[in-house]
Amino acid sequence: MCQDSRQHAAALAWYDRSHAWAVEAGDACLASTTLNMRAHQAWSLGDAQRCIRLAEAEDLIRAAEHPENEPPWMYFYEEGWFLMQRGMAELELGDGRRATDYLERGLSTLPDRYRRDRAWFGACLARAQALQGDAEAAVATALNVAPETP
């Protein structure tokens, strides 16, 4: 709620507190979730470098966990998700080539049933393609992820 109401300092304090509680409880899945929320805040504030560092920290936490013990809501911490997050960060840094690579690789792992995420990251991919001067690919990608009209 603090993040959505633009109380960024308060949001960061709650993210830090919740992360500390997750670590204290020994719950790596919950700790990953708190880092993801901090990465989301960094991304929304335009701090792409911090977003990348937090995504790398989540990779370390996931490497220590056993996938068979993960709760079902952890689906969005798969490698493809992190690739797409890294692609968005590269896009914010202005590197269309790297953003395109990360976003394409991440989108290739995303199931079709995640239509909202496919549309969002597909739009980011189209923007990355346009940034690197490939207007034809950007248009094709944008049309591919646009919702169908009746």
Side-chain angles (χ1 to χ4, degrees):
M1 289 174 50
C2 292
Q3 175 70 25
D4 290 343
S5 62
R6 298 179 188 208
Q7 296 176 20
H8 302 296
L12 182 59
W14 279 110
Y15 293 150
D16 285 343
R17 180 178 289 175
S18 60
H19 181 73
W21 287 337
V23 170
E24 185 178 326
D27 189 329
C29 293
L30 189 54
S32 294
T33 300
T34 62
L35 288 177
N36 182 55
M37 297 309 297
R38 289 175 69 190
H40 176 72
Q41 181 190 34
W43 177 79
S44 68
L45 293 174
D47 189 349
Q49 291 292 341
R50 186 167 189 224
C51 184
I52 290 170
R53 285 193 308 271
L54 287 165
E56 289 169 348
E58 288 170 308
D59 283 342
L60 293 174
I61 288 174
R62 281 194 43 82
E65 279 297 289
H66 299 281
E68 66 275 6
N69 295 333
E70 291 181 351
W73 48 266
M74 293 298 289
Y75 74 90
F76 53 90
Y77 291 110
E78 298 296 327
E79 181 181 356
W81 184 265
F82 289 113
L83 290 170
M84 292 181 292
Q85 294 292 326
R86 179 70 185 260
M88 288 177 26
E90 295 294 346
L91 184 59
E92 291 300 314
L93 292 171
D95 192 332
R97 183 191 57 77
R98 288 174 59 100
T100 297
D101 177 57
Y102 284 117
L103 289 164
E104 284 177 340
R105 288 171 41 210
L107 276 165
S108 72
T109 69
L110 192 62
D112 289 337
R113 69 182 178 272
Y114 297 121
R115 294 183 324 188
R116 184 188 63 140
D117 290 339
R118 291 188 70 72
W120 169 254
F121 289 112
C124 292
L125 175 58
R127 187 172 151 217
Q129 291 165 329
L131 181 64
Q132 64 176 333
D134 193 347
E136 201 171 301
V139 168
T141 298
L143 290 173
N144 187 43
V145 300
E148 294 181 20
T149 55

